[in-house]
Amino acid sequence: MATAARSFSRVALRSSPATSAFRASTRTNIRSIPRQPTSSTRRSYASSSSSGSSSTGLIWGAGLAAAAGAGYYFFAANQRGQSQKGSSVPESSKEGSASGSFATGGKFVPRLDDYQKVYNAVAKLLEEHDEYDDGSYGPVIVRLAWHCSGTYDVATGTGGSNGATMRFAPEGDHGANAGLKAARDFLEPVKKQYPWISYSDLWTLAGVCAIQEMQGPTVPWRPGREDADESLCTPDGRLPDGSKDQTHLRAIFGRMGFDDREIVALSGAHALGRCHTDRSGFDGPWTFSPTVVTNDYYKLLQDEKWQWKKWNGPKQFEDKTTKSLMMLPTDMALVKDSEFKKHVDRYAKSNEVFFKEFSDVLVKLLELGVPFKSKPEDRLELKPLNA
């Protein structure tokens, strides 16, 4: 079971400048306790030199990393132990919960309460397994949801979250998906407990759960994805490459149907997680609180001084003050390009504006290419575990 301690309140962190001078005085690795219904406090982490292999959030390009490493080893070992004495995932029947119903032919038809139970099971695992990376599997779960959705090609209608084709080697072995096996394995106990949910619905629902449990905005979600076989695996190269520039970003995201504002909003997920040398070659977190959703990524891009990192690795930037944070060339492109920068400035100024637009564009990303039978107004708003 997770052990935890509070540091800053949610309000304090979101209203304080995200400069190195402010954060450097809080350089202690601390973990959160579950969200309380009357409290706005949240998980915070101040970065220092990392050790071991760890999870990552949303990161661009081939080889960008979510790590397995020591945290994953302990998680896997714990899961093996739980399989012998019973999973910590909440009880429900193999067919589904009592909330659903059975259609003609015996197929289980889940309802809101059933999806809330799946959400709660994921949230509970996130709460219990805080030994991974910076204290949460959350960032790597977000990355899984992002990468399974970001393969969509609007011109051909191929790719996207429908199908969960990353389960198969052709796509699972793509360089940009390095380390995501840890995220997929993390969710297996939930899939086993609720076998009626497709992998593609589970992965995207888990991404929504991770965002909300890391104190992010409410992200409406709807089911309807169906799993496919490996014949529908997408070709390599559809995900962004962190070593490139704004031209590359527009080409990659434009293929999915996103405009400049949406590109910048989605990039805000870099508030989460870190890069790893054993995956992408890049190294370090983007922010001082890599397990909390904030607009700090934009504040740091706007206010911090950045320089090329002098090291035997791929070209990346480091903050001049502490040299503990990083930015990729694609991150810096957001402030070098005037059309991108105006949105960086808007989000740096207002966390509320960022949350609203980030939620909207994440909904769009997770639904790309999905042949829903439901309508957009049928989307569900799932409640955080301790809300």
Side-chain angles (χ1 to χ4, degrees), residues 35 64 137 147 222 251 302 329 341:
R35 183 195 315 232
L64 291 183
Y137 271 86
H147 280 214
R222 57 176 163 158
Q302 183 185 69
K341 188 177 184 300

Side-chain angles (χ1 to χ4, degrees), residues 267-278:
S267 298
H270 278 180
L272 303 171
R274 62 171 59 233
C275 289
H276 307 82
T277 55
D278 62 343

